[in-house]
């Protein structure tokens, strides 16, 4: 009992999702001694949902798999037990020659669709007390994740909220400045002339005030919801999506090169432009993005993305602009030069 309380105390003091996942699989392994415990993330795939491991512990020790997608994914349909847990939205179990397996779906926020699974493989069928203890522990973990989601997610769109941005940004900057020669991340950084792995983009809905004025806030909220959904479809699970408030969104991209960042953001812009919004019809968005340079303060990086966004707004809207490209082309002056700010009618840009 004391051991269980110590594990619960350690888990409930953690807000970092990577550390939390590792702590949970380690705690389950220590308390219940199963053959293997795996935390899986549900990810979209061309032919249906797939799962990718986040953390696993077994005879080989604790394994952490980093960002989603780094170790590949397996179709959900390849695992009947996970598919059952996904379909029913509740604990699924199976017993066989190799022992007993739990598949516990982990919901996220208010969504009824699981965002991942905890799979526990045991060499034997657990006793009734062990089974109830494990199920209650899994319930505790799921409830705690839901509490984290409630505090970290935007209540309308379900994207990460602004107060979560600073903490996530610090982690992204730390990862951008980390890596040893020859590792996979550095190889991906080398694809781009600036050596960047992460990019930050600010997405703003064009003429959103006009939408609210002409159609009402209910249809304005529907536009926000649908654009959030299009963002989830456009980007990979390892990219971070935030709603900054109003009609502004922020994306942290992990794509390795400027060209790949342009492609990903252009994909979103085109999806928004071609989408038919109820009552409103066509909606467009403007995007400004910049490299995440670990030598800069977060406010400076965000400011560069904002400068690129303002340029896009001033020059026709419905386009993607890169800060570095604009500077290299002489269309923007780098912040260090501290140019005199031009006279811009901000209200007109966002009208």
């Amino acid at each position: 009992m004391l051991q269980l309380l110590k594990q619960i105390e350690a888990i409930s003091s953690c807000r970092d999702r990577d550390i939390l996942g590792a702590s949970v699989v380690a705690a389950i392994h220590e308390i219940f001694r199963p053959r293997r415990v795996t935390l899986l993330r549900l990810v979209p795939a061309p032919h249906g949902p797939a799962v990718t491991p986040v953390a696993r512990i077994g005879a080989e020790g604790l394994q952490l798999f980093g960002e989603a997608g780094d170790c590949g994914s397996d179709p959900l349909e390849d695992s009947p037990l996970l598919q059952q847990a996904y379909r029913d939205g509740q604990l699924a179990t199976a017993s066989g020659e190799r022992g007993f397996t739990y598949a516990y779906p982990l919901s996220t926020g208010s969504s009824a669709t699981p965002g991942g699974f905890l799979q526990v493989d045991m060499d034997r069928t657990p006793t009734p007390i062990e089974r109830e203890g494990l199920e209650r522990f899994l319930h505790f973990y799921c409830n705690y994740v839901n509490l984290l989601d409630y505090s970290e997610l935007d209540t309308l769109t379900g994207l990460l909220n602004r107060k979560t941005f600073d903490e996530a940004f610090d982690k992204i900057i730390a990862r951008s400045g980390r890596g040893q020669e020859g590792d996979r991340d550095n190889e991906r950084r080398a694809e781009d002339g600036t050596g960047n792995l992460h990019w930050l983009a600010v997405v703003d809905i064009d003429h959103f005030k006009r939408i609210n004025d002409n159609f009402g806030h209910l249809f304005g909220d529907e536009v926000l919801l649908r654009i959030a959904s299009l963002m989830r479809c456009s980007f990979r699970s390892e990219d971070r999506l935030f709603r900054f408030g109003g009609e502004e969104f922020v994306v942290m991209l992990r794509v390795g090169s400027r060209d790949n960042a342009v492609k990903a953001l252009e994909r979103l812009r085109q999806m928004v432009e071609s989408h038919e919004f109820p009552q409103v019809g066509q909606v467009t968005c403007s995007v400004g993005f910049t490299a995440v340079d670990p030598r800069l303060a977060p406010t400076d990086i965000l400011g560069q993305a904002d400068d690129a966004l303002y340029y896009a707004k001033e020059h026709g809207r419905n386009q993607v602009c890169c800060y570095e490209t604009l500077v290299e082309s002489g269309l923007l002056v780098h912040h260090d030069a501290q140019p005199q700010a031009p006279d811009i009618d901000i209200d007109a840009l966002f009208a």
Side-chain angles (χ1 to χ4, degrees):
M1 175 63 74
L2 184 59
Q3 180 188 28
L4 177 60
L5 291 175
K6 286 181 178 179
Q7 295 291 350
I8 290 176
E9 178 186 20
I11 290 170
S12 62
S13 65
C14 179
R15 291 190 60 213
D16 184 290
R17 299 303 180 104
D18 296 335
I19 298 175
L20 178 62
S23 298
V24 167
V25 298
I28 292 174
H29 190 264
E30 181 177 350
I31 296 171
F32 300 99
R33 297 299 177 184
R35 181 175 70 255
R36 182 174 58 227
V37 185
T38 308
L39 177 61
L40 298 157
R41 182 179 286 117
L42 191 70
V43 296
H47 303 293
V51 289
T52 183
V54 176
R56 176 182 293 139
I57 190 168
E60 67 282 1
L62 179 63
Q63 295 176 284
L64 302 178
F65 296 92
E67 299 285 355
D70 278 356
C71 54
S73 59
D74 298 312
L76 186 64
E77 63 183 16
D78 287 357
S79 172
L81 189 63
L82 291 179
Q83 199 168 31
Q84 179 185 342
Y86 176 79
R87 183 183 64 248
D88 298 340
Q90 60 186 15
L91 176 72
T93 61
S95 58
E97 295 180 358
R98 297 197 63 188
F100 194 87
T101 300
Y102 285 90
Y104 192 86
L106 303 172
S107 59
T108 56
S110 59
S111 173
T113 303
F117 304 90
L118 260 171
Q119 181 171 318
V120 183
D121 300 297
M122 307 186 75
D123 289 321
R124 56 181 176 77
T125 301
T127 65
I129 293 178
E130 288 175 326
R131 176 166 178 158
E132 182 177 0
L134 180 54
E135 290 180 15
R136 291 187 179 276
F137 188 87
L138 294 176
H139 278 295
F140 156 74
Y141 171 62
C142 193
N143 288 341
Y144 181 64
V145 170
N146 285 335
L147 286 174
L148 288 182
D149 287 340
Y150 183 78
S151 66
E152 296 176 356
L153 301 184
D154 175 63
T155 54
L156 176 64
T157 63
L159 302 182
L160 294 167
N161 59 29
R162 179 154 191 173
K163 76 174 185 177
T164 312
F165 175 79
D166 290 337
E167 180 181 335
F169 203 3
D170 288 341
K171 290 177 64 177
I172 293 294
I173 290 177
R175 287 171 180 166
S176 292
R178 192 172 64 221
Q180 302 298 323
E181 183 178 354
D183 71 15
R184 180 179 175 185
D185 281 355
N186 273 359
E187 291 172 5
R188 295 175 66 181
R189 291 176 197 174
E191 297 174 16
D192 185 74
T194 59
N196 285 137
L197 177 64
H198 294 94
W199 302 80
L200 183 140
V202 180
V203 181
D204 193 277
I205 303 171
D206 296 329
H207 303 297
F208 187 69
K209 183 177 183 299
R210 191 179 302 172
I211 294 172
N212 277 333
D213 290 346
N214 292 343
F215 301 99
H217 289 279
L218 286 178
F219 284 102
D221 287 350
E222 181 66 20
V223 169
L224 294 172
L225 283 166
R226 291 191 175 228
I227 286 184
S229 178
L230 292 173
M231 290 175 67
R232 293 188 183 94
C233 295
S234 298
F235 301 108
R236 301 174 302 175
S237 58
E238 60 263 40
D239 299 325
R240 299 290 181 261
L241 309 179
F242 301 84
R243 184 189 175 201
F244 253 39
E247 71 274 25
E248 192 171 79
F249 300 86
V250 168
V251 182
M252 288 184 180
L253 287 167
R254 184 177 182 265
V255 290
S257 75
R258 188 183 305 181
D259 287 344
N260 287 341
V262 171
K263 290 176 184 176
L265 294 167
E266 271 291 339
R267 182 169 59 243
L268 171 66
R269 187 197 64 78
Q270 293 171 13
M271 289 179 70
V272 172
E273 183 182 28
S274 62
H275 187 80
E276 183 70 22
F277 290 84
Q279 191 72 23
V280 177
Q282 186 186 52
V283 173
T284 62
C285 66
S286 299
V287 183
F289 77 98
T290 188
V292 174
D293 186 340
R295 298 168 297 180
L296 299 179
T299 52
D300 292 333
I301 298 172
L302 189 59
Q304 291 181 174
D306 273 331
D307 286 347
L309 173 65
Y310 291 149
Y311 185 91
K313 289 282 189 179
E314 284 187 276
H315 294 81
R317 297 183 172 89
N318 191 26
Q319 59 183 307
V320 175
C321 290
C322 173
Y323 176 82
E324 286 75 16
T325 301
L326 293 172
V327 170
E328 292 163 6
S329 303
L331 299 173
L332 279 182
V333 180
H334 192 270
H335 286 300
D336 287 346
Q338 295 182 342
Q340 183 176 352
D343 294 327
I344 301 175
D345 186 349
I346 298 298
D347 290 334
L349 292 179
F350 293 93

